[in-house]
Every structure is written in structure tokens, then in C-alpha cells.
Amino acid sequence: MTNGDLKYQYARLSVSEKLIAINVIVFIVMGLITALISPNVENWFALPKDFFDFLMQPWSIITYSFLHGGIFHILWNMYILYVAGRILLNLFDGRRFLNIYFLGVILGGLLFLLSYNIFPTLISVNASLIGASAGVMAVLIFVCTYIPNQEVRLFFFNVKLWQIGLFVVLMDLVQIPMGGNIGGRIAHLGGALLGYMYARQLYNGRDIGEGFSNFVDGVVNLFKKSEKKAPMKTVFKNNQKTAAKKANYDKKTHQKKIDAILDKISKSGYESLSKAEKDFLFKAGKED
């Protein structure tokens, strides 16, 4: 397969699938670096428990999520991300998916930092955080909260999403007192909290990730080369205003149809949609 073929195949992936691909590539590359160069390289990207160490490597609040401790660790995280990501992307666009995922990563990391600097039993423990679990939990709990009555097939029977969400959160809460990966489980709960809050606020008409999106856009724009000024064109104001009004009307009508479908999902589940409604929602997500 040529380089062009690889680029084409990558471009065809959804946002969640691209994120999975990046995680797998980083896992392989870091494994080679650890084995052939130095096992300490990972420390520069893992999230340390000490605030002063974190201030020396602030990027680790994001980069820790791309590191994994073993093959089963990454396989489980990527499987859940794939399943939950498909559901989320049937409802919303890739931009909102990334908001939920990375805000979950950040809140999970901050909760880890806070816990290891406040709770007496954890202060003396030497630990660092790796893994995408906080972001994965944010995506999973978001869909479990936003469409709680949607049923999914689990082994030989159907379960509702809210039941899955409740189960995974309780599992983390129960296992924290038992010890073992306490930091990871605390980060899971941070991601779960973000996913729950995001879904509840969005259901009430408020997107709490909008500020994060604007911040990321601002950072990206700093690194973009200034675009060349386009040549001046003569336009007719009346035609321009008419076109703008029509585009605005079409956009509002389009959004109303999406809102009606989402409302139907929240009340009766995804399977209650007709094929035409499912196709429309899928296309709308791709267009956004």
C-alpha cells in the first residue's frame, strides 16, 4: 500500500476511528522507544502526581491519554471508544465528540492531581497517570446520559445504556477502597462526571464545550500562516442579502428537523427512528 493509499484510508475514517488509529500508533512507537532507547522517555508524557512536576510539563494533561500500560489496556479502551464513539457520532458532529473526549481527559487528570495532593493515604504514594480511560468514560457516560433508554446488545440479551453507565461507575467506586490503580479509577470518575454534566447541560440547550472549542481554534490559528488577501470582487448587495436570508432559513429548518429527531431518540430510543430519519441524522453528522 502506497503513502497515498494510506492517506486516503485515513481520511475516510470517522473522528473516533482516527483517534483510535493515533493511539495505536503511539502505543507501538512508545513501545519501541522504551525497549530500544530508554524507558524514561514515557515519563515526559505521563501525568505526574506532583503539582510542581506537572508545571514543568503541562502538556502531560493531554499526552498522558495517549499512553497505555499494556496490550489489554489499550485494546479495552479502544473497543469501548469505538462502540460509544459510533453512537455519539450518530447524534452529533466530530467537533462535539472531541470536546467531550478531551474535556474528559483534562478533568480526569485534574481530579487525579488533586486527589494525590489532598488525601493523606495517597500523598506519600509515587504514581503517575497514563491511559485514555478518562476520555473514553466521558464519551460512554455522555451517551448513557443523553439517550439513557436506548437498548444495546450485550452478549445474549439487551440492556439499556443507563444501566451500563451505572454499572461501570459503581465498579470504579467499589474498587477504589480495595486499592490497586486508585489513580486510574479516580480519573475514570472525573471523565464520567464530565460526560454526565456535558449531556445534562446540552439537553438543556447549553454546550459547555464551546469555550474549549474556541480556545483550541485560537491556538491553531496562531500557528497558521497568514492567508493571502483575496482579490477584490464586485458583488450586488441585494443578491447577497437574499442569498444570506435563504441560507439562514435553510439552516434553521435543518436544525429543527435534527432537534425533533433527537427529542424522539431521548423519549423512545434510537431504534424508534425510521430508516429515513436514521439516514438524515447520519448525513447531518457527516455534513457538520
Side-chain angles (χ1 to χ4, degrees):
M1 187 176 289
T2 65
N3 187 47
D5 291 334
L6 287 173
K7 287 182 178 179
Y8 173 72
Q9 293 299 328
Y10 180 78
R12 292 184 60 194
L13 298 177
S14 68
V15 174
S16 62
E17 290 168 342
K18 288 177 181 177
L19 193 57
I20 291 170
I22 292 170
N23 270 278
V24 172
I25 292 170
V26 171
F27 178 73
I28 294 171
V29 171
M30 287 304 299
L32 292 173
I33 291 174
T34 300
L36 302 177
I37 301 176
S38 170
N40 297 322
V41 173
E42 187 178 89
N43 294 337
W44 280 96
F45 303 99
L47 182 63
K49 71 147 199 172
D50 187 84
F51 273 117
F52 293 103
D53 290 340
F54 166 65
L55 291 176
M56 296 298 293
Q57 51 184 83
W59 56 84
S60 62
I61 195 68
I62 295 292
T63 57
Y64 85 85
S65 67
F66 291 96
L67 305 176
H68 289 86
I71 187 68
F72 292 108
H73 188 198
I74 189 171
L75 281 177
W76 179 248
N77 273 341
M78 295 305 103
Y79 172 71
I80 299 298
L81 183 60
Y82 176 75
V83 174
R86 286 188 66 183
I87 298 173
L88 197 156
L89 289 172
N90 273 329
L91 300 172
F92 300 106
D93 60 11
R95 183 184 179 92
R96 187 160 287 162
F97 170 89
L98 292 176
N99 284 349
I100 296 165
Y101 180 86
F102 282 111
L103 284 174
V105 166
I106 292 170
L107 185 58
L110 291 176
L111 199 59
F112 164 83
L113 272 171
L114 193 63
S115 299
Y116 274 78
N117 285 271
I118 288 180
F119 297 122
T121 57
L122 299 178
I123 290 176
S124 60
V125 177
N126 185 24
S128 60
L129 182 65
I130 61 172
S133 302
V136 173
M137 279 287 284
V139 173
L140 176 62
I141 299 303
F142 175 89
V143 296
C144 291
T145 304
Y146 198 81
I147 46 173
N149 294 317
Q150 170 66 35
E151 291 189 351
V152 293
R153 191 73 173 173
L154 191 64
F155 300 112
F156 305 107
F157 50 89
N158 291 342
V159 294
K160 293 184 177 181
L161 283 175
W162 74 263
Q163 295 170 328
I164 294 176
L166 181 62
F167 175 77
V168 295
V169 170
L170 286 177
M171 284 295 291
D172 280 321
L173 286 171
V174 168
Q175 292 183 75
I176 286 177
M178 299 178 182
N181 193 28
I182 294 177
R185 300 196 184 284
I186 289 173
H188 294 178
L189 295 175
L193 177 61
L194 184 282
Y196 175 80
M197 289 170 54
Y198 205 123
R200 294 303 302 172
Q201 290 297 311
L202 193 62
Y203 197 75
N204 293 326
R206 180 169 176 253
D207 186 353
I208 62 175
E210 193 63 33
F212 178 72
S213 287
N214 293 336
F215 171 75
V216 173
D217 288 343
V219 173
V220 171
N221 289 334
L222 289 176
F223 294 94
K224 280 186 177 179
K225 294 181 179 179
S226 57
E227 298 179 358
K228 293 182 179 179
K229 291 183 178 179
M232 293 181 67
K233 295 180 180 179
T234 302
V235 296
F236 295 96
K237 290 184 178 180
N238 290 337
N239 291 341
Q240 193 176 33
K241 288 180 180 178
T242 302
K245 286 181 180 178
K246 185 177 184 302
N248 189 44
Y249 175 79
D250 291 342
K251 186 176 180 181
K252 286 183 178 178
T253 304
H254 187 74
Q255 187 59 47
K256 282 183 180 178
K257 189 172 181 180
I258 292 175
D259 291 340
I261 294 174
L262 293 178
D263 187 54
K264 186 176 179 181
I265 292 173
S266 67
K267 292 178 180 177
S268 308
Y270 182 74
E271 294 305 321
S272 66
L273 300 183
S274 65
K275 184 179 184 302
E277 288 172 327
K278 289 179 181 178
D279 291 341
F280 176 82
L281 194 61
F282 180 76
K283 289 177 181 177
K286 290 290 184 183
E287 289 169 2
D288 290 339

